Amino acid sequence: MSRSMVLPFALASFIALASTTDVFAHCFVGARFLPATLAIDDPCVADEMSLPTVMWSKTPDMPPATEWDISGEISKRITENFGLSIGETWTQIRQPDGTVNAGFQDLETTFQYQLLKDPSHELALLAGVIVDWGNTGATNSGLGTSYSLVTPTFYFGKGLGDLPDTLSWVRPFAVTGQVGYQIPTSNFDFTQSVFIPQQLVYGASLQYSLPYLKSEVIDLQLPDFFNHLIPIVEANFTTPVANNFGNPYTTTGFLNPGVIWVGSYFQVGLEAVIPINRESGSGVGVLGQLHLYLDDIFPTTIGQPLFGATAAAPRKLTF
């Protein structure tokens, strides 16, 4: 199949799938709420907005440069099960000699379809296609590219609430993850005289929900602030797998321990950014995000799907 057919074929396949499960506001699966994670995506379509997401880190160069990434993303349900996200990132890289390179990266869009929500097993499955559109970023600054990237991606989330009561303290745990195959629309970058590899892009999160602990396991009478917390560890990796002639097949990535505070209308997340090797970066960075639940803030207008909206009130967290 030609690469120009990858996106329409994938979209047609996702739209053709039928869902047999209930859909709630943001990512509820039964009693489980899966928050919007900072480094990878959660496994649900929703009406949400991340603004801003801010990351500070150091590049793997010797000596390293400092990098700021400030991004925003808005996600909109087209139907109850099909959604679209649009995101943009502004980057500033300051070299040790004071030279500054800044501009926008390529525009990113994500098309997603909810394959499954199984409340009894707290399981969510999602399929999507991520497209980074070439020539939409600052190509003259090296922050955008002349080619596009198409990444068919599978997402999952699983809460452990279906474990027996003898393992009650484990039940607040949940895992989420995603696996994608990134395909460039060109094999060779003539401006840099390098081959453009196809890459495996993947990641996961392990999270422990104190809201779930209180509502579904035991109320420890903690101060209210702690009942809103979800400690989390995320990991995301990239591995070249094809068309990488003359370059090492080195996996790069980051480990992100942190915490998310969730409220009724928004959440705030803060994580450390730890490179897994020298090729990934230098030192420890930081990642923060303000994430808004549009389906709760505007439940009767922009928080509804464009087509097939229901009159049901959005489901909210209880604390």
Side-chain angles (χ1 to χ4, degrees):
M1 181 184 298
S2 68
R3 287 171 184 165
S4 62
M5 293 297 294
V6 171
L7 177 59
F9 177 80
L11 289 177
S13 300
F14 297 157
I15 295 173
L17 293 170
S19 175
T20 59
T21 57
D22 295 329
V23 177
F24 299 110
H26 10 288
C27 201
F28 276 100
V29 191
R32 173 74 54 177
F33 171 67
L34 297 171
T37 41
L38 283 67
I40 64 171
D41 206 352
D42 64 85
C44 296
V45 293
D47 297 289
E48 302 176 332
M49 180 167 64
S50 297
L51 188 68
T53 301
V54 180
M55 185 172 77
W56 178 89
S57 61
K58 290 188 176 182
T59 67
D61 306 298
M62 288 296 291
T66 58
E67 179 174 338
W68 284 95
D69 294 303
I70 303 174
S71 62
E73 182 182 44
I74 185 167
S75 300
K76 187 77 191 80
R77 288 177 296 169
I78 309 303
T79 68
E80 287 281 7
N81 297 299
F82 180 71
L84 167 67
S85 298
I86 300 174
E88 184 59 280
T89 300
W90 179 84
T91 294
Q92 181 195 80
I93 300 175
R94 182 178 296 274
Q95 301 293 340
D97 63 2
T99 304
V100 175
N101 187 25
F104 285 98
Q105 297 184 25
D106 288 336
L107 180 71
E108 180 182 281
T109 58
T110 304
F111 307 87
Q112 295 178 327
Y113 191 86
Q114 195 75 59
L115 299 174
L116 174 71
K117 279 190 174 181
D118 183 345
S120 62
H121 293 96
E122 299 179 352
L123 175 66
L125 302 177
L126 181 74
V129 176
I130 305 169
V131 183
D132 296 282
W133 299 96
N135 292 308
T136 59
T139 54
N140 58 335
S141 300
L143 298 173
T145 63
S146 59
Y147 53 89
S148 298
L149 298 171
V150 180
T151 312
T153 305
F154 174 75
Y155 310 80
F156 68 89
K158 177 68 174 75
L160 303 187
D162 54 357
L163 291 176
D165 290 340
T166 54
L167 297 173
S168 60
W169 291 98
V170 183
R171 291 172 57 205
F173 275 106
V175 294
T176 68
Q178 65 183 64
V179 180
Y181 192 88
Q182 187 179 85
I183 307 168
T185 56
S186 176
N187 289 325
F188 193 81
D189 186 345
F190 290 94
T191 62
Q192 302 291 327
S193 297
V194 294
F195 287 95
I196 307 168
Q198 298 178 15
Q199 303 190 99
L200 192 65
V201 183
Y202 51 105
S205 81
L206 176 65
Q207 44 193 266
Y208 192 85
S209 176
L210 295 183
Y212 190 96
L213 175 68
K214 177 185 176 182
S215 64
E216 304 299 322
V217 181
I218 185 173
D219 185 354
L220 297 177
Q221 302 297 315
L222 297 173
D224 185 61
F225 175 81
F226 293 97
N227 290 324
H228 291 250
L229 295 179
I230 300 179
I232 186 171
V233 178
E234 295 189 74
N236 61 94
F237 308 100
T238 301
T239 302
V241 291
N243 198 48
N244 198 41
F245 304 106
N247 297 305
Y249 286 81
T250 303
T251 296
T252 57
F254 302 90
L255 297 177
N256 295 28
V259 66
I260 297 173
W261 185 95
V262 295
S264 297
Y265 300 100
F266 68 93
Q267 66 177 56
V268 179
L270 185 65
E271 296 178 346
V273 180
I274 305 172
I276 64 168
N277 51 27
R278 191 64 183 81
E279 292 79 7
S280 303
S282 176
V284 178
V286 63
L287 174 64
Q289 183 185 83
L290 172 63
H291 189 84
L292 307 175
Y293 306 142
L294 299 182
D295 39 17
D296 281 338
I297 299 173
F298 307 105
T300 60
T301 54
I302 63 174
Q304 287 279 344
L306 294 180
F307 303 100
T310 65
R315 181 173 177 181
K316 298 180 181 179
L317 281 169
T318 57
F319 303 100

